[in-house]
Amino acid sequence: MRAAMRFAVLGTSVALVAGATGATARAEDGGSGDITIDKVVVNGGKPVVVGTTNVVSAKVSVTASDDSGIDETTYISAYGPTPNYDQIWYDEGEITCVKVSATTSTCTGTLTFDPQGGSAINGNNAAATWRIRTLVSAIDLDYIHRDAATTFQVQRYSKLTVNASPEPVKKGRTITVTGKLSRANWDDNLYHGYADQSVKLQFRKKGSSTYTTVKTIKSSSTGTLKTSVTASTDGYFRYSFAGTSTTPAVSAAGDFVDVQ
């Protein structure tokens, strides 16, 4: 009977969460009583990075407090640009609530991002800032709903290659360093070159553990990279990309050049 009463009280907010089918179905913040949402964490505070084949899981936790204690009836939804979204439900066994104290609990579930299909990754516009929408209830029927309890980034996985030649090379001669910056494309699930991006050419002397930046160049319209330097000493060349809001930072593995 208590459960039936709870859903009567929460009916409007539950409908706002459960009835949404995309980011355009916005809900208003609301609630009743002194319940609070204390902390929301997605993927350990790191962006969710998705490639072209593997399903990526991201843990989301909501910590809430109320003087009567937190009921386990919790709903969590993640929304990006239309029509990208994912939802997890306590009623379907997807959320677990653990008591931190008599008044506080942390409810945890897992968001799923599948580049091969599903509602979360539906085209390249899914690479954006997402928001967490959540509804939490207390044992005394207090409840709280937040349309944007926190935000997080979803990004397109990036790759970076490098090749320094010729190898070996005489001191004073020219070394040509080529490579390519690419990232996941969720429209066709392939990797495409990332055009017109600033990429650093870096060098690490043999025996050292530190790379220093030699110069910064731009990727071509197809993501290719090419520049030249003068051979001076044995060491490793690599390209390094700082990343953007939609694409994570990446550095190529160093390519060793023997200077004779």
Side-chain angles (χ1 to χ4, degrees):
M1 184 65 179
R2 185 168 60 87
M5 290 176 62
R6 178 175 299 109
F7 278 104
V9 172
L10 300 183
T12 301
S13 292
V14 169
L16 287 169
V17 177
T21 57
T24 56
R26 305 264 316 181
E28 298 297 329
D29 290 349
S32 175
D34 56 3
I35 185 173
T36 60
I37 293 176
D38 307 323
K39 187 177 183 181
V40 181
V41 179
V42 181
N43 201 40
K46 299 178 181 179
V48 177
V49 180
V50 184
T52 60
T53 56
N54 294 335
V55 175
V56 175
S57 297
K59 179 181 175 181
V60 53
S61 64
V62 177
T63 301
S65 299
D66 184 84
D67 56 3
S68 68
I70 299 301
D71 185 82
E72 292 185 338
T73 305
T74 300
Y75 303 93
I76 301 170
S77 303
Y79 286 89
T82 303
N84 307 110
Y85 69 97
D86 190 29
Q87 301 180 90
I88 48 181
W89 306 93
Y90 169 76
D91 287 353
E92 297 180 11
E94 298 171 343
I95 295 175
T96 301
C97 293
V98 176
K99 285 187 176 182
V100 177
S101 67
T103 60
T104 303
S105 292
T106 297
C107 298
T108 303
T110 300
L111 299 170
T112 301
F113 299 84
D114 185 355
Q116 297 290 328
S119 54
I121 300 298
N122 189 354
N124 289 328
N125 72 332
T129 300
W130 286 51
R131 71 183 190 277
I132 291 293
R133 179 185 295 174
T134 188
L135 172 68
V136 185
S137 59
I139 293 173
D140 62 3
L141 302 185
D142 290 351
Y143 71 96
I144 186 170
H145 173 266
R146 289 292 178 264
D147 183 62
T150 195
T151 60
F152 66 99
Q153 293 296 126
V154 174
Q155 296 181 325
R156 297 159 63 178
Y157 188 88
S158 56
K159 295 182 178 181
L160 188 55
T161 63
V162 66
N163 181 58
S165 63
E167 305 171 53
V169 63
K170 289 186 178 181
K171 186 175 182 179
R173 294 290 180 90
T174 297
I175 297 173
T176 300
V177 187
T178 58
K180 185 173 184 178
L181 174 65
S182 58
R183 61 177 178 166
N185 185 304
W186 297 326
D187 292 327
D188 58 13
N189 291 317
L190 298 174
Y191 281 87
H192 293 258
Y194 197 5
D196 197 33
Q197 298 300 308
S198 295
V199 180
K200 294 178 180 179
L201 174 66
Q202 298 182 324
F203 179 74
R204 175 168 65 88
K205 187 176 181 181
K206 181 180 179 180
S208 171
S209 60
T210 304
Y211 277 94
T212 58
T213 298
V214 178
K215 63 175 72 173
T216 300
I217 64 172
K218 289 272 191 178
S219 59
S220 73
S221 60
T222 59
T224 59
L225 301 160
K226 184 177 181 179
T227 191
S228 60
V229 294
T230 301
S232 59
T233 187
D234 292 353
Y236 300 82
F237 286 95
R238 75 174 186 184
Y239 281 117
S240 183
F241 173 59
T244 63
S245 62
T246 62
T247 309
V250 62
S251 293
D255 185 24
F256 181 75
V257 175
D258 178 15
V259 178
Q260 298 180 343

